[in-house]
Amino acid sequence: MMRRAFERRLGRSSLTLAQARALLYLSRNEGLRQVELAAMLEVQPITLARLIDQLEAAGMVERLPDPDDRRAYKLYLTKAAAPHLAAINDVIRSIHADALRSLGRQQVDSLGATLGSMRENMGAQNRERDRESA
């Protein structure tokens, strides 16, 4: 429901949900390589490459050579991404406010702690599985 609300509220933007997610994650982790961002977004690298191509064509993202790997590029936002990120963050804040409206502060804090624990549990399982397969 939150995803649909996001798409509906961002509807006036030229961005797709996937592009908005890529911009948001990149804003929190500038200088990532494409393969790293693809893993964070849980998409195939080729899928992300197309998204980055679109964002680069729109002037919001730039690829710069990775000084440690001549074959790789690191991703950075341009100034043109700033108004889009502001709109994305406004929509996120609005959706969160709507979703949490009837909850008290203690409930919100408890929910945040519970979701954080769930994320950590799943991350630990994924790290263990990655070690076993290596």
Side-chain angles (χ1 to χ4, degrees):
M1 285 189 271
M2 291 176 91
R3 186 172 289 143
R4 282 193 302 269
F6 184 86
E7 289 173 332
R8 189 174 54 252
R9 292 180 193 190
L10 197 64
R12 291 172 260 140
S13 171
S14 61
L15 295 174
T16 67
L17 176 61
Q19 291 169 334
R21 285 186 70 226
L23 280 179
L24 190 61
Y25 275 69
L26 187 54
S27 74
R28 296 174 184 164
N29 303 282
E30 277 199 88
L32 286 177
R33 293 182 349 186
Q34 279 184 202
V35 69
E36 295 166 330
L37 184 57
M40 291 176 113
L41 293 169
E42 298 179 343
V43 299
Q44 294 298 315
I46 190 68
T47 301
L48 181 68
R50 281 183 240 137
L51 282 174
I52 298 302
D53 287 345
Q54 295 163 354
L55 293 170
E56 190 175 39
M60 291 184 253
V61 172
E62 63 182 345
R63 290 175 170 113
L64 298 177
D66 183 341
D68 299 324
D69 184 348
R70 293 184 324 185
R71 300 164 296 162
Y73 290 89
K74 292 190 172 211
L75 301 172
Y76 296 91
L77 297 175
T78 66
K79 290 180 182 178
H84 296 279
L85 281 167
I88 291 166
N89 284 312
D90 287 346
V91 168
I92 290 170
R93 277 191 294 280
S94 170
I95 290 170
H96 284 171
D98 288 349
L100 302 173
R101 180 181 4 191
S102 64
L103 301 180
R105 183 81 243 152
Q106 186 176 357
Q107 288 174 301
V108 171
D109 291 345
S110 179
L111 175 62
T114 300
L115 291 172
S117 294
M118 291 169 63
R119 174 185 285 156
E120 181 56 36
N121 292 343
M122 296 306 295
Q125 284 181 348
N126 289 338
R127 287 188 297 276
E128 185 177 315
R129 202 168 314 138
D130 290 345
R131 278 193 301 270
E132 290 172 358
S133 65

